[in-house]
Amino acid sequence: MADRARLAALPKVDEVLRRPELEASALPRWALADATRAAIDERRRAILDGREGGVEVASEDVLARARALLRPSLRPVINATGVVLHTNLGRAPLAGPALARLVEVARGYSNLEYVVDEKARGSRHDHLQELLVRLCGAEAAAVVNNNAAAVMLALAALASGREVIVSRGELIEIGGSFRVPDVMRQSGAVLVEVGTTNKTHRRDYAAAIGPATGLLMKVHRSNFAVVGFTAEVSTEELAELGRERGLPVMVDLGSGALIDPGGFGLPPEPTVSSHVAAGAQLVTFSGDKLLGGPQAGVLVGSAAVIERVKKHPLMRALRPDKLTLAALEATLELYRDGRAMGEVPALRMLAARPEELRARAEALVAAAGAGEVVEVASAVGGGALPTAAPASFAVALARPRRGADDLERALREGDPPVIARIAGDRLLVDVRTVADSELPALARAIAAAMA
Ligand SMILES: *Cc1c(COP(=O)(O)O)cnc(C)c1O
């Protein structure tokens, strides 16, 4: 057939939509129509480009396209990277009780800004106060949208138009373009760098203090390590200097461990409460890093400093929503009740014993009927514990004559997508970050990709 005749023979959209198998599919009309148009368009382009192929549009093709259009944009994936706090994959999975609370609070109305006992208007900031005070040993607490917001708000409230002294070795960049000097500029505070990349002493801070100084700040190096000839000033020393000179001290902790990961085989990390005890007037940290809760920024510190932070006009723009507060409260309750190590998924994954991981990898190989169990090293991720590489186990997959890229794509394009990493000519499925409930779906995905 000549191109002209073939173009004229392409089916009409309405004809395709009237096919019984499409009508029986119960898929929304708009999706079927868009999918049909796309399928016909593809045939038309093939003809115009002089490619092979008929003029038929298969119903199966239309239905597959329509289903793809209907798939939510934000959806679950299986994290087989072994990176526990993977920022691109949503950081921390929530604990069961946090999910339950979130659903309970979101389903109907809540006392978000209402004091039931007093029949009076309340503040959303009061709900987590007691828990955070108890867990961090601080006088007061506030919660905002994320830790970047906490830092920005704290600097604006405590040091706008004033100088903030920071060690040059702590002017960090966190993934997703959080740069301490940029955040500082946006907050209206003036950065004063002291010391050198590898060494900063107490005398460096002391010499930089002047009439315009408003704050002494420490930033935790959460995503890199400095080794060798190094010196930094501890929170304790800085707090002492602050007391002598009448200046508040703030620590941006980032990862914000409530339990020292050194206790379960990872590099030790000072807890939030240890920085509070060391005398910092303000400590900020993330809700979804080592804490293992929802995305949030937590500020704990002295009553006076937290009051200033809460009263700042930016607070209204950065305030947390009820879903965050619900999930964070339930997560913090697990810490209060001594249940966090057993029930917070991020902590469980980070603390998983090698024997447990090997058994999970073996179960996966048996269920998938493919792969080989190998020992690997996982990462913590999320800008936390950068030097940690806990021993883990993975299922290594390889197919004769097909590259690891091919396998990687097959798993990633499946439903649910499986995200794994390539090492040489093999694909590694690290089981540290795979929940037991995900094993059947993962086994099916592997079996399909290997077929
Ligand atoms: C992660 C991190 C931040 C940013 O926290 P988000 O919760 O991702 O906004 C800020 N400071 C430090 C030191 C961090 O590690």
Side-chain angles (χ1 to χ4, degrees):
M1 236 193 300
D3 285 356
R4 212 190 180 82
R6 287 168 71 208
L7 285 172
L10 282 168
K12 302 279 171 292
V13 175
D14 286 347
E15 284 164 27
V16 176
L17 286 175
R18 276 198 299 274
R19 291 181 190 169
E21 58 274 29
L22 262 58
E23 290 194 331
S25 73
L27 297 179
R29 184 89 187 158
W30 72 264
L32 289 169
D34 282 11
T36 302
R37 263 180 234 113
I40 295 173
D41 264 3
E42 199 205 58
R43 291 285 86 232
R44 180 177 297 118
R45 269 197 312 276
I47 294 166
L48 292 174
D49 293 351
R51 276 181 281 139
E52 293 294 306
V55 297
E56 285 81 39
V57 166
S59 297
E60 270 317 301
D61 180 29
V62 173
L63 288 169
R65 285 171 188 270
R67 285 193 200 98
L69 288 173
L70 288 162
R71 217 166 42 204
S73 173
L74 180 60
R75 60 200 165 110
V77 305
I78 294 179
N79 176 5
T81 65
V83 181
V84 175
L85 300 169
H86 200 304
T87 300
N88 298 154
L89 302 184
R91 284 206 190 147
L94 293 180
L99 289 171
R101 186 72 51 77
L102 198 153
V103 169
E104 192 179 17
V105 166
R107 184 174 284 131
Y109 297 97
S110 64
N111 63 340
L112 182 63
E113 294 187 345
Y114 185 73
V115 186
V116 176
D117 291 346
E118 296 170 16
K119 193 182 175 231
R121 195 196 144 97
S123 162
R124 69 178 65 214
H125 299 297
D126 291 345
H127 296 290
L128 273 59
Q129 190 77 227
E130 244 182 76
L131 266 168
L132 284 167
V133 161
R134 176 192 288 269
L135 290 167
C136 304
E139 288 172 8
V143 176
V144 291
N145 186 49
N146 54 30
N147 187 43
V151 174
M152 165 86 89
L153 175 61
L155 289 170
L158 304 179
S160 183
R162 320 272 323 256
E163 291 176 358
V164 179
I165 304 177
V166 188
S167 161
R168 189 161 280 138
E170 297 175 1
L171 293 175
I172 59 163
E173 173 177 312
I174 306 286
S177 68
F178 173 94
R179 284 182 159 189
V180 172
D182 297 344
V183 174
M184 186 109 32
R185 205 170 306 117
Q186 290 297 324
S187 73
V190 179
L191 170 66
V192 176
E193 295 174 41
V194 295
T196 60
T197 307
N198 57 327
K199 281 202 171 201
T200 303
H201 306 279
R202 181 192 146 115
R203 61 176 182 274
D204 297 323
Y205 289 92
I209 294 175
T213 307
L215 183 69
L216 305 179
M217 185 184 186
K218 255 188 91 61
V219 184
H220 183 57
R221 295 191 193 109
S222 27
N223 58 359
F224 69 108
V226 186
V227 295
F229 191 58
T230 68
E232 71 173 296
V233 177
S234 69
T235 298
E236 210 153 6
E237 290 172 276
L238 205 58
E240 190 191 279
L241 178 62
R243 273 194 304 278
E244 281 170 19
R245 310 292 286 266
L247 289 168
V249 169
M250 164 181 170
V251 182
D252 172 21
L253 213 44
S255 39
L258 295 183
I259 296 175
D260 180 0
F264 46 89
L266 292 173
E269 168 120 348
T271 57
V272 174
S273 60
S274 76
H275 287 276
V276 172
Q281 276 72 37
L282 182 63
V283 179
T284 63
F285 56 98
S286 290
D288 55 355
K289 289 188 182 171
L290 290 176
L291 196 146
Q295 178 189 303
V298 183
L299 306 102
V300 298
S302 75
V305 161
I306 295 295
E307 200 47 40
R308 273 168 77 184
V309 164
K310 280 188 188 165
K311 287 220 171 89
H312 193 276
L314 258 182
M315 179 50 123
R316 176 61 184 78
L318 304 176
R319 72 182 189 185
D321 76 322
K322 62 187 178 182
L323 306 186
T324 299
L325 292 172
L328 187 56
E329 183 174 17
T331 306
L332 293 171
E333 287 166 6
L334 295 174
Y335 282 91
R336 178 195 63 191
D337 300 344
R339 293 162 55 194
M341 283 311 301
E343 293 192 52
V344 172
L347 292 181
R348 284 185 53 160
M349 290 176 193
L350 287 170
R353 310 294 317 148
E355 312 84 73
E356 181 192 335
L357 297 169
R358 183 203 288 272
R360 193 179 300 154
E362 283 166 355
L364 184 56
V365 167
E372 180 197 346
V373 175
V374 294
E375 195 173 348
V376 296
S378 316
V380 173
L385 305 176
T387 57
S392 186
F393 284 89
V395 173
L397 301 170
R399 275 189 314 195
R401 290 178 305 280
R402 314 236 351 225
D405 304 18
D406 235 32
L407 262 177
E408 189 275 336
R409 187 174 330 103
L411 280 171
R412 181 165 42 78
E413 290 179 350
D415 189 20
V418 175
I419 315 299
R421 68 176 189 273
I422 292 172
D425 52 0
R426 299 196 295 186
L427 188 67
L428 297 180
V429 175
D430 189 326
V431 297
R432 178 183 294 276
T433 43
V434 177
D436 284 335
S437 61
E438 291 170 332
L439 283 178
L442 180 54
R444 278 196 300 278
I446 291 173
M450 293 294 283

